[in-house]
Amino acid sequence: MNGTTRVGASVRVVRRTAGLLVGTLALALAPTGAPAVGTSSPALPAAATDGVLAYRVGALMMDPSVRAAAVGAEVRVADSGTLVFSRNPTTALMPASDTKLFTSAAAMHRLGPDFRFHTDALGGAVNGGVLSTPIYLKGYGDPTTLTSDYAALAAAVRAKGITSIPGGIRADATYFEATQYSPYWSPDYANDYYAAKCSPLTVSPDTDYDAGTVIVKAVPAAAAGGAPSVQLVPAEAGGYIRLAPNVRTVAAGLSSYLVVSRQPGSTTVTVTGQVAVGNTAGVKEWITVPEPALYAAAVFRAQLARAGVSVGATTAAAGTPAGLSVLATDTSMTVAQLLVPFLKLSNNTHADALTKTMAARATGAPGTWATGTALIKAYATGLGVDMTGATLVDGSGLTRYNKVTARQLATLLVAVQREAWFSTWYDALPIAGLPGKFVGGTLASRMAGTYAVGNVHAKNGYLTGVTSLSGYATGRDGRRYVFAMITNHSGATTRPIENALGVLLAGWNATTGQTG
């Protein structure tokens, strides 16, 4: 959903063949290293061949899937911004995860590549090893906190000479607005890992940094019929989340699967399914938690106990009162480093944490989607992007209420090349056909075996009835193109045409006016 399909998971792509485009697609999809077409042609000024390229792009857009849908598309020469092709360039459409292009660029500008989030542990006076107040765990938007970070915080608290906290733990999520699940998101997404609540205090169960979720893992018994081991990752989440498993061990060779569910607001996760004998790695599923801050408090409590600090039974959500001292601080990776898991894996929680953090830092008030998205739009406007008609209500594109145009995306992609941090941002985009979730990302399996491999850096998006692909393609002669394509459809997907567009541009030789 929304470009967040886990790398390695199967993705069903509707494959179409349009007789009108057989010749064009055959050339566009020529594999890397294929003989150049028409190499005997004399070299021409690049501008003289732009019309030929426009014709070729236009031929792709004659595919029935495009003609039956609302499609906005634009191609420009990257260094000059010269327009090569456009189709409905000023029609505002749902962009899905291509929203993240605006969000990530604005975050690099407004927060800076070296910005780090932090999470603080605060308290009052310490008397004989006893903390006189509850310990307050306050988050400042970090979507990358792991169990190990809370272990380090706990060790630092113990190093202050604290051995007892009879007042318990208070989880402070007041750095962001109280609304954690956007009213613009479908309630059907609420349990899904890609739609975790946006809290400034949270936990990630893995180094994909799926903040606000837990992993349910089942490992088979030694024999069919035995009870599998059903576990939470991180295990410390058991202080907040309760499992209700109904999973069986089945014979070797049978399929393994889990189905996890949770009622709204409930901390009980129901688990059904089966796991086959011999599946030593087990089977995993991700699910969101109802209150990420209380989840973080549970993990912190367990780590305090391991560090030798006894903690009173009470855990509650509360703002931090004035006058307390910072006992320990955990800091995150930089925003520049965060771009890799954020953009490669299209992580929605990262996008919205950045959106609200930009707002909080700009205003000194709790970060909101409304203020953050206004700042994103203002940044784009400052770059010279005419944002007239654009609507942004979140930073991730998980909503169907966001609307932007292909021209706005293409203009952003041209303009952002002037930023000092552009190369870092460019490298963090998914890269066509390159394996590895932190290299190819969501494009690792797309356009494989074509000129696009390694030469198309782009952000893709998906919602039901929405597909998008926008970014950069480096042609065979080294000339770089910017392209943006957004489709809102009720019929066949245009994803094959997106791929063909990327391959055509990556294979284009502007000096010959031909592919290769």
Side-chain angles (χ1 to χ4, degrees):
M1 180 66 66
N2 196 35
T4 59
T5 300
R6 290 188 176 279
V7 175
S10 62
V11 178
R12 188 172 70 89
V13 177
V14 178
R15 300 190 181 276
R16 302 173 48 92
T17 301
L20 175 66
L21 297 181
V22 169
T24 299
L25 288 172
L27 288 171
L29 298 171
T32 303
V37 178
T39 52
S40 61
S41 301
L44 298 170
T49 64
D50 286 347
V52 180
L53 177 58
Y55 176 83
R56 293 284 295 277
V57 176
L60 290 177
M61 298 297 160
M62 291 299 290
D63 186 82
S65 66
V66 175
R67 297 171 70 182
V71 177
E74 189 151 286
V75 177
R76 292 180 177 268
V77 178
D79 59 0
S80 65
T82 300
L83 180 65
V84 174
F85 174 87
S86 66
R87 174 192 174 93
N88 302 324
T90 58
T91 299
L93 298 167
M94 291 179 280
S97 273
D98 277 19
T99 301
K100 294 181 176 74
L101 292 169
F102 290 97
T103 304
S104 57
M108 286 287 275
H109 172 77
R110 293 192 179 279
L111 299 177
D114 296 327
F115 174 82
R116 297 176 188 267
F117 301 94
H118 65 101
T119 303
D120 292 349
L122 303 98
V126 180
N127 300 304
V130 178
L131 187 65
S132 61
T133 66
I135 192 164
Y136 287 80
L137 184 65
K138 182 166 185 176
Y140 289 87
D142 187 0
T144 70
T145 46
L146 301 169
T147 300
S148 57
D149 295 307
Y150 289 108
L153 269 178
V157 168
R158 180 64 185 85
K160 293 284 187 180
I162 297 170
T163 57
S164 177
I165 308 174
I169 299 177
R170 301 295 180 268
D172 185 347
T174 60
Y175 192 64
F176 291 168
E177 64 184 323
T179 301
Q180 297 184 348
Y181 192 87
S182 172
Y184 296 101
W185 297 346
S186 169
D188 293 341
Y189 304 157
N191 284 353
D192 296 322
Y193 79 95
Y194 55 77
K197 288 184 173 179
C198 183
S199 171
L201 178 62
T202 189
V203 185
S204 294
D206 55 19
T207 52
D208 287 358
Y209 304 105
D210 294 313
T213 71
V214 292
I215 299 170
V216 180
K217 179 180 179 180
V219 178
S229 170
V230 182
Q231 312 155 5
L232 282 169
V233 179
E236 295 85 353
Y240 177 57
I241 295 295
R242 185 178 76 87
L243 290 177
N246 183 17
V247 183
R248 58 184 183 142
T249 301
V250 296
L254 295 179
S255 62
S256 297
Y257 67 89
L258 293 180
V259 177
V260 294
S261 62
R262 180 178 58 78
Q263 293 300 310
S266 174
T267 57
T268 298
V269 174
T270 300
V271 189
T272 59
Q274 63 187 41
V275 58
V277 170
N279 185 349
T280 55
V283 59
K284 298 178 181 179
E285 282 294 338
W286 282 248
I287 191 167
T288 60
V289 302
E291 293 293 340
L294 295 179
Y295 169 28
V299 172
F300 186 45
R301 175 185 288 274
Q303 295 304 326
L304 284 167
R306 287 194 179 94
V309 181
S310 64
V311 183
T314 305
T315 296
T320 304
L324 298 186
S325 300
V326 175
L327 303 172
T329 296
D330 175 73
T331 56
S332 73
M333 64 181 70
T334 66
V335 166
Q337 293 166 328
L338 178 64
L339 284 185
V340 173
F342 168 28
L343 292 176
K344 298 288 189 186
L345 304 183
S346 198
N347 191 300
N348 295 324
T349 307
H350 298 176
D352 290 310
L354 288 165
T355 299
K356 290 192 175 186
T357 300
M358 284 187 273
R361 287 179 61 82
T363 64
T368 68
W369 269 299
T371 299
T373 53
L375 290 168
I376 292 168
K377 288 180 69 175
Y379 166 70
T381 299
L383 280 181
V385 182
D386 181 356
M387 295 297 284
T388 302
T391 301
L392 295 178
V393 297
D394 75 3
S396 60
L398 188 57
T399 175
R400 304 183 73 84
Y401 288 84
N402 284 355
K403 298 286 181 68
V404 301
T405 71
R407 177 152 296 167
Q408 288 161 348
L409 280 164
T411 307
L412 173 78
L413 290 164
V414 170
V416 79
Q417 296 174 107
R418 301 192 298 265
E419 297 283 21
W421 39 259
F422 171 73
S423 62
T424 299
W425 186 79
Y426 173 79
D427 288 342
L429 292 170
I431 305 173
L434 292 185
K437 63 184 177 181
F438 292 136
V439 182
T442 55
L443 295 184
S445 62
R446 289 180 63 174
M447 296 170 260
T450 72
Y451 292 127
V453 174
N455 292 315
V456 169
H457 291 225
K459 185 71 200 73
N460 61 303
Y462 168 77
L463 288 169
T464 301
V466 180
T467 185
S468 56
L469 185 69
S470 303
Y472 305 90
T474 301
R476 294 290 283 172
D477 58 352
R479 194 187 198 204
R480 182 184 288 169
Y481 299 91
V482 156
F483 68 95
M485 182 173 172
I486 313 170
T487 302
N488 293 178
H489 63 92
S490 58
T493 179
T494 62
R495 183 164 288 185
I497 307 306
E498 293 173 354
N499 291 344
L501 175 59
V503 174
L504 171 62
L505 296 175
W508 190 249
N509 188 329
T511 62
T512 64
Q514 299 187 56
T515 301

